Amino acid sequence: MLRSLLAAAIVIAVAAPLACAQETRLPDIGSSAGELITPAQEDAYGAMTLAQLRHFDYVLEDPLIDSWLDTLGHRLAGASDDTKRHYTFFMLRDRQINAFATLGGYVAMNSGLVLAADREDEVAGVLAHEISHITQQHVLRSVERQKQDQIPTLLALLGAIVVAQQAHGNTGADAASAAMSAAMGLAAQRQINFTRANETEADRVGMQLLARSHFDPRAMADFFAKLQSRMRTNEASAFGDEEPDYLRSHPMTLARITEARDRAERLRTQPNYSGTFATDNPMLPAGLRLEAGTGAGPTGLFDYARERLRVMSALTPAAAIQEYTAIKSSRALTDAEQYGLAVAFTLAGQPKSALPLLTAVVARKPADVWPQLALGEVEAASGNGAAADARFEALLRKTPASRAVVLTYAKVLGERSSPAAGKRAQAILRPLMSSLSEDPVFQRTFARASEIADDPVRAGEAHAEAAYLSGRPELALVQLNTLKKRPDLDYYSRTRIESRIAAITPTVLELHRQGIHDEDLKR
């Protein structure tokens, strides 16, 4: 009960900026929205939201899924008029259909939304819509409407969630109920001010992003119509008699869907639909046409990503295997579904069952990296480490900077617990240390590699960083202060550690001022 209440409270808290962003005013040059909160404050709020979601284990963190979503999101964002804005795309475990954007360019998508899509263009349509809420400053203008009260209110809601998590028994449930009730009351008041203006604008701008990025602009309207149809007919048993969360925060009407379809058709009939686009930036000459970004269009990974999400969002690997068994009862599995079943077998500790499936897929699709990585994991788990290493090293030579390849290989090396494996893992991870410094999966993987490589200082730093990024700054501070007492620290290590202590301490002091402590440390 407590966990479900916390989940509802978190969703309301993080979705609140988007919900109250539905105002009628269009962006104007004289708007003070950009002055009310600085870009640094925006990013800090978004990072805090993501850290809290990680803390409660709602974020699905997987190198392959993350790389796919990040590639898809940035292909769309790169086609906008605001190409300098920073974005962070992340996946949530929840199988309910939903997505949201919040301050700092943070965009979340539920696993259920990907599972409900038939093609990548539909997922791209939702991402383009959420990106457009950010580029059109809908979130910032909602903050302007609430003046200085908006951010403190949201921070207080997240604080209430943390307090509720710390409480025990019925008291905890009561605290969570109170936090959720307050959030629901605030959300209800905001709904009074809801209009279609920003949703329509996000549809329009989002479709332009789709067209510029070589995706089908009709996909957005098609997906919205699909959700509305499923709601009416209850075709998806996961919905039951309830409306999907996405339809609650993004209300659909027949007129809106029709308008979206008409707009998509107009975009598709433009003479330069697949090559160039006219910029909407008022600071550039009217009619100026720009080349569409390179590397645009579908990633070619959607089928694999959807099946990997099917497995990783299931309650257990056994439950995922049952889903594939049900599919096999009516038809043969596709290559992507065989890959998904193999991943489920691997997670269930049955690599021998996964091996023939992956071997067959790799034979048919030798250029596809995802099945190659999965086969390498299975080979290692089956005791054939030499074959696994040869496979991973070949992939690494082709794409040495691939986050998915490096982290998957380093994870396999970390499972061997030998100093040589640890040093090799450190060697392939170090080139990505700068770009992935805010990635908790990277930090945990590097910590494990450093442990078995007999490098306790680097291991301790990485563990502390992973704790901080996962919403536990007090634990990170304790770990760093303990590490600082080691007599074998060299000058550079001590400097790094002291710098991080100085950076994290204000956050912990502010949490203490609000009465929020890491209860696990007390126990």
Side-chain angles (χ1 to χ4, degrees):
M1 176 64 176
L2 174 59
R3 185 175 179 82
S4 62
L5 291 174
L6 286 169
I10 283 181
V11 169
I12 292 171
V14 297
L18 184 57
C20 69
Q22 316 304 327
E23 297 186 295
T24 57
R25 295 190 302 121
L26 295 175
D28 61 275
I29 294 177
S31 172
S32 63
E35 299 175 1
L36 182 64
I37 177 172
T38 67
Q41 289 171 322
E42 280 192 74
D43 188 67
Y45 172 75
M48 181 197 65
T49 300
L50 177 54
Q52 287 301 307
L53 289 169
R54 283 172 175 157
H55 180 61
F56 293 112
D57 198 31
Y58 293 121
V59 180
L60 193 158
E61 293 183 291
D62 174 74
L64 288 164
I65 294 298
D66 290 343
S67 296
W68 166 71
L69 184 63
D70 190 66
T71 298
L72 182 60
H74 279 96
R75 286 187 180 184
L76 294 162
S80 73
D81 293 327
D82 187 6
T83 57
K84 293 183 179 180
R85 185 182 295 272
H86 173 74
Y87 289 90
T88 300
F89 301 94
F90 59 99
M91 188 71 67
L92 300 179
R93 296 181 184 279
D94 199 339
R95 283 199 172 188
Q96 177 58 267
I97 298 175
N98 204 6
F100 65 82
T102 191
L103 292 172
Y106 284 74
V107 180
M109 177 171 288
N110 281 11
S111 298
L113 192 146
V114 180
L115 294 178
D118 292 320
R119 55 194 178 113
E120 192 171 67
D121 297 76
E122 294 175 344
V123 178
V126 174
L127 275 179
H129 179 96
E130 300 303 333
I131 289 169
S132 299
H133 275 305
I134 295 171
T135 62
Q136 301 309 106
Q137 293 195 320
H138 295 162
V139 179
L140 272 180
R141 283 188 277 119
S142 73
V143 178
E144 182 184 33
R145 182 172 64 84
Q146 294 293 328
K147 300 302 181 183
Q148 298 292 342
D149 185 56
Q150 174 72 3
I151 299 303
T153 298
L154 295 173
L155 293 175
L157 282 170
L158 285 173
I161 293 166
V162 176
V163 171
Q165 175 70 1
Q166 294 172 353
H168 303 287
N170 292 332
T171 303
D174 292 342
S177 296
M180 187 179 70
S181 297
M184 290 179 65
L186 182 61
Q189 178 61 41
R190 287 168 175 160
Q191 286 298 321
I192 295 174
N193 300 314
F194 176 85
T195 73
R196 293 177 57 237
N198 286 355
E199 285 299 294
T200 300
E201 185 177 27
D203 288 350
R204 176 181 62 80
V205 176
M207 284 185 186
Q208 290 175 347
L209 294 185
L210 287 175
R212 294 173 180 181
S213 304
H214 302 297
F215 289 96
D216 184 356
R218 297 172 299 183
M220 183 186 293
D222 289 346
F223 191 63
F224 291 167
K226 179 188 297 181
L227 295 186
Q228 187 184 60
S229 174
R230 288 191 180 188
M231 174 56 199
R232 282 200 309 266
T233 60
N234 280 331
E235 289 177 358
S237 60
F239 293 172
D241 295 326
E242 296 185 1
E243 185 178 28
D245 287 346
Y246 195 81
L247 294 187
R248 293 191 183 117
S249 57
H250 303 73
M252 302 296 162
T253 64
L254 181 60
R256 179 183 174 189
I257 294 173
T258 301
E259 289 173 7
R261 282 180 170 157
D262 290 344
R263 189 177 297 114
E265 288 302 325
R266 288 196 298 272
L267 281 171
R268 284 175 53 80
T269 57
Q270 289 181 358
N272 290 298
Y273 159 63
S274 61
T276 62
F277 61 89
T279 176
D280 296 323
N281 192 327
M283 305 303 291
L284 295 177
L288 176 66
R289 304 199 71 81
L290 304 175
E291 291 294 328
T294 59
T299 65
L301 295 172
F302 171 70
D303 291 339
Y304 287 129
R306 182 175 56 186
E307 297 313 315
R308 190 170 182 86
L309 278 172
R310 188 187 308 280
V311 175
M312 304 196 78
S313 64
L315 292 177
T316 64
I321 293 171
Q322 289 179 352
E323 289 188 43
Y324 286 111
T325 300
I327 295 173
K328 283 198 298 183
S329 66
S330 59
R331 60 171 175 80
L333 297 181
T334 65
D335 284 341
E337 289 166 342
Q338 285 191 46
Y339 162 81
L341 178 57
V343 171
F345 278 133
T346 304
L347 293 177
Q350 304 175 43
K352 291 183 179 180
S353 297
L355 188 58
L357 293 169
L358 290 170
T359 301
V361 173
V362 168
R364 290 190 293 268
K365 304 285 182 66
D368 290 359
V369 174
W370 288 34
Q372 289 272 9
L373 288 173
L375 182 54
E377 290 182 282
V378 167
E379 288 170 336
S382 302
N384 195 351
D389 286 356
R391 191 176 303 280
F392 285 125
E393 293 289 349
L395 290 170
L396 197 60
R397 284 193 295 272
K398 291 180 181 178
T399 54
S402 168
R403 176 180 182 269
V405 171
V406 170
L407 288 179
T408 303
Y409 187 18
K411 172 178 171 287
V412 169
L413 290 169
E415 291 169 352
R416 295 182 186 169
S417 301
S418 72
K423 291 182 184 300
R424 179 56 184 152
Q426 280 186 317
I428 65 174
L429 288 166
R430 279 199 178 96
L432 301 184
M433 185 173 289
S434 176
S435 60
L436 298 181
S437 62
E438 296 184 1
D439 180 351
V441 176
F442 174 87
Q443 296 292 353
R444 286 192 291 268
T445 306
F446 191 77
R448 174 58 182 164
S450 299
E451 284 174 348
I452 63 177
D454 196 24
D455 189 353
V457 175
R458 281 294 193 180
E461 289 181 83
H463 277 306
E465 204 62 37
Y468 176 77
L469 293 169
S470 299
R472 300 192 66 187
E474 189 171 359
L475 174 61
L477 191 59
V478 169
Q479 291 174 332
L480 288 171
N481 277 312
T482 300
L483 198 59
K484 183 183 174 182
K485 297 176 183 178
R486 291 184 62 96
D488 58 345
L489 285 184
D490 60 30
Y491 171 79
Y492 298 104
S493 297
R494 186 175 298 277
T495 300
R496 286 196 312 269
I497 293 168
E498 289 177 344
S499 176
R500 287 306 289 153
I501 289 174
I504 294 173
T505 297
T507 300
V508 175
L509 290 176
E510 177 60 23
L511 289 172
H512 285 180
R513 189 184 68 81
Q514 296 180 22
I516 299 173
H517 298 267
D518 193 320
E519 290 297 318
D520 288 339
L521 292 178
K522 290 184 178 181
R523 290 194 291 271

